[in-house]
């Protein structure tokens, strides 16, 4: 509502929704000699949009990010296969994967300030108007590996790393995003840790 006049400036009720989304995982493992093994898995999953994504707009500087009560759940389908060893001084595993995330929720650009927009009101000069929207998909494939070694009975060292090649398919909703990397998704990640147990 306008503070000055009390007039309603935006009325965006959240529609009633219901539905179901089946999920599942099927996995196989084959043990080999010398502690080696092969494994494979296929799986599906989903993520329901959060209350913030559905209902809470916010502003960062001159940029306005609008919520969207019509968002659909994100849906994941994936395949992976790998091998590893769980005997001997070094335990290790390596996995390749191929995932497709359908209807991911991204911030899509729908306007540039200065201007007045029905969904958000005034966007000042230099500002950008975004709205959370479902785009077509994010396709990601890569490899991840980890290793664990015990130099002594008390000391455990662990290394892990991953390479992920992920790209957005914006579809008709956001063609300007097609081919771009998802936000906060580095191609390379790695971790290292050490644990010392006083007594074992």
């Amino acid at each position: 509502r306008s503070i000055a006049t009390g007039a309603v400036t935006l009325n965006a009720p959240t529609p009633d929704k219901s539905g179901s989304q089946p999920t599942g995982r099927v996995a196989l493992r084959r043990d080999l000699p010398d502690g080696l093994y092969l494994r494979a898995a296929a799986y599906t999953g989903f993520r329901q949009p959060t209350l913030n994504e559905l209902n809470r707009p916010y502003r960062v500087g001159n940029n306005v990010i609008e919520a969207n009560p019509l968002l659909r759940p994100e849906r994941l389908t994936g395949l992976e296969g790998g091998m590893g060893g769980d005997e001997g001084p070094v335990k290790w595993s390596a996995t390749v994967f191929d995932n497709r995330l359908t209807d991911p929720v991204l911030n899509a650009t729908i306007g540039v300030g200065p201007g007045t927009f029905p969904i958000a009101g005034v966007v000042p000069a230099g500002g950008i108007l975004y709205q959370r929207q479902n785009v077509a998909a994010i396709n990601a494939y890569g490899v991840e590996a980890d290793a664990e070694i015990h130099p002594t009975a008390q000391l455990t060292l662990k290394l892990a790393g991953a390479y992920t090649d992920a790209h957005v398919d914006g579809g008709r909703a956001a063609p300007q995003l097609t081919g771009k990397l998802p936000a906060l998704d580095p191609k390379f990640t790695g971790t290292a840790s050490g644990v010392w147990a006083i007594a074992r």
Side-chain angles (χ1 to χ4, degrees):
R1 294 179 178 272
S2 167
I3 295 177
T5 65
V8 174
T9 58
L10 179 63
N11 183 13
T14 300
D16 292 336
K17 286 196 263 184
S18 63
S20 60
Q21 181 63 51
T23 64
R25 178 181 176 92
V26 176
L28 298 173
R29 170 169 164 150
R30 173 64 182 250
D31 290 325
L32 304 174
D34 301 322
L36 298 178
Y37 62 86
L38 298 174
R39 67 178 190 86
Y43 43 84
T44 64
F46 75 97
R47 185 188 74 89
Q48 181 70 17
T50 67
L51 292 177
N52 284 342
E53 291 171 334
L54 292 168
N55 302 307
R56 180 179 175 266
Y58 65 97
R59 178 170 171 167
V60 179
N62 289 337
N63 296 330
V64 177
I65 298 89
E66 285 294 322
N68 185 352
L70 300 179
L71 291 173
R72 299 180 300 277
E74 298 177 339
R75 292 168 292 141
L76 172 72
T77 56
L79 297 170
E80 64 180 49
M83 68 180 303
D86 52 14
E87 292 183 7
V90 179
K91 296 180 180 180
W92 62 277
S93 68
T95 302
V96 294
F97 60 87
D98 188 358
N99 290 338
R100 180 176 176 85
L101 184 65
T102 305
D103 290 331
V105 177
L106 300 178
N107 290 337
T109 303
I110 60 174
V112 178
T116 301
F117 301 87
I119 192 174
V122 175
V123 176
I128 302 175
L129 175 60
Y130 302 95
Q131 186 185 37
R132 297 182 177 98
Q133 293 184 2
N134 294 107
V135 300
I138 294 176
N139 298 301
Y141 65 89
V143 59
E144 57 187 15
D146 62 80
E148 177 181 315
I149 187 171
H150 299 273
T152 69
Q154 290 77 30
L155 180 62
T156 301
L157 301 178
K158 295 181 180 180
L159 291 173
Y163 167 80
T164 303
D165 190 356
H167 293 88
V168 177
D169 176 3
R172 295 182 179 180
Q176 72 276 13
L177 297 179
T178 297
K180 294 187 176 181
L181 300 178
L184 304 177
D185 185 29
K187 283 197 171 186
F188 295 95
T189 60
T191 61
S193 65
V195 178
W196 176 266
I198 296 176
R200 186 179 292 274

